[in-house]
């Protein structure tokens, strides 16, 4: 198992916590120098806060842990392609790499806006999608299937 897969598995564990808490199952982990420094999962419903996406919670926690808003040299692993809000935060926090699992099929995803964000925020983030895509997608598919069956 590669390091990328290892850390994505940790993000998947966070996504499973989201599912148990009846949140959209997305998990995120931030890594610096080969060590996970922040873990998070979606908390929008429980917090009643639209910004409580896994990525933003993880960024906040990593910034507190490092004592800086710049997460230079850090990588994020997230189970779903980031939305535009989260992608902007990844650029603003100066993350080095963002690895994501499932592609967001509900919209056009973040990849088309990445270049624009990089120019606007004067930073470049390397984006890599499809990491453990089947496992990440399956968790989301099952969650939404169960929601439809409850109606």
């Amino acid at each position: 198992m590669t390091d990328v897969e290892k850390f994505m598995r940790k993000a998947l564990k966070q996504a499973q916590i989201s599912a148990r808490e009846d949140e959209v199952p997305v998990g995120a982990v931030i890594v610096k120098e080969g060590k996970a420094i922040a873990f998070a999962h979606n908390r929008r419903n429980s917090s009643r806060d639209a910004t409580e996406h896994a990525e933003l919670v993880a960024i906040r926690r990593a910034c507190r842990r490092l004592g800086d808003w710049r997460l230079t040299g850090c990588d994020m692993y997230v189970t779903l392609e980031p939305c535009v809000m989260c992608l902007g935060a990844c650029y603003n926090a100066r993350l080095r790499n963002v690895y994501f699992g499932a592609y967001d099929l509900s919209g056009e995803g973040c990849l088309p806006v990445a270049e624009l964000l990089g120019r606007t925020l004067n930073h470049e983030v390397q984006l890599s999608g499809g990491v453990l895509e089947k496992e990440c997608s399956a968790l989301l598919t099952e969650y939404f299937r169960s929601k439809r069956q409850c109606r």
Side-chain angles (χ1 to χ4, degrees):
M1 175 184 328
T2 67
D3 281 348
V4 171
E5 291 169 335
K6 176 178 89 172
F7 290 118
M8 187 60 75
R9 291 207 182 282
K10 291 181 184 294
L12 270 165
K13 287 183 181 183
Q14 291 296 307
Q16 291 165 348
I17 295 169
S18 286
R20 286 196 300 271
E21 294 178 358
D22 200 24
E23 300 274 357
V24 175
V26 178
V29 175
I30 296 181
V31 173
K32 182 168 179 109
E33 297 172 354
K35 289 187 174 183
I37 62 166
F39 300 86
H41 57 278
N42 270 358
R43 300 183 33 81
R44 284 189 316 176
N45 294 333
S46 61
S47 70
R48 293 187 166 91
D49 181 340
T51 68
E52 290 284 293
H53 288 204
E55 299 95 325
L56 296 181
V57 175
I59 288 171
R60 285 185 200 115
R61 289 177 178 170
C63 288
R64 279 196 298 271
R65 175 124 186 226
L66 296 178
D68 195 350
W69 64 268
R70 293 174 199 87
L71 298 179
T72 307
C74 292
D75 302 322
M76 178 183 285
Y77 299 82
V78 61
T79 57
L80 178 62
E81 181 179 3
C83 70
V84 173
M85 173 180 69
C86 292
L87 184 64
C90 291
Y91 275 83
N92 198 40
R94 306 300 193 254
L95 287 169
R96 178 176 54 190
N97 295 295
V98 174
Y99 300 96
F100 62 89
Y103 287 86
D104 183 357
L105 302 177
S106 65
E108 291 188 37
C110 70
L111 297 177
V113 298
E115 185 179 333
L116 174 63
L117 280 172
R119 285 195 315 265
T120 302
L121 297 173
N122 197 28
H123 179 69
E124 189 171 322
V125 174
Q126 296 301 311
L127 299 166
S128 302
V131 179
L132 300 181
E133 183 177 7
K134 286 182 183 178
E135 292 95 323
C136 295
S137 294
L139 187 59
L140 288 156
T141 299
E142 181 52 37
Y143 174 79
F144 287 111
R145 181 179 294 132
S146 72
K147 287 297 197 188
R148 286 190 298 276
Q149 290 173 349
C150 290
R151 292 182 185 170

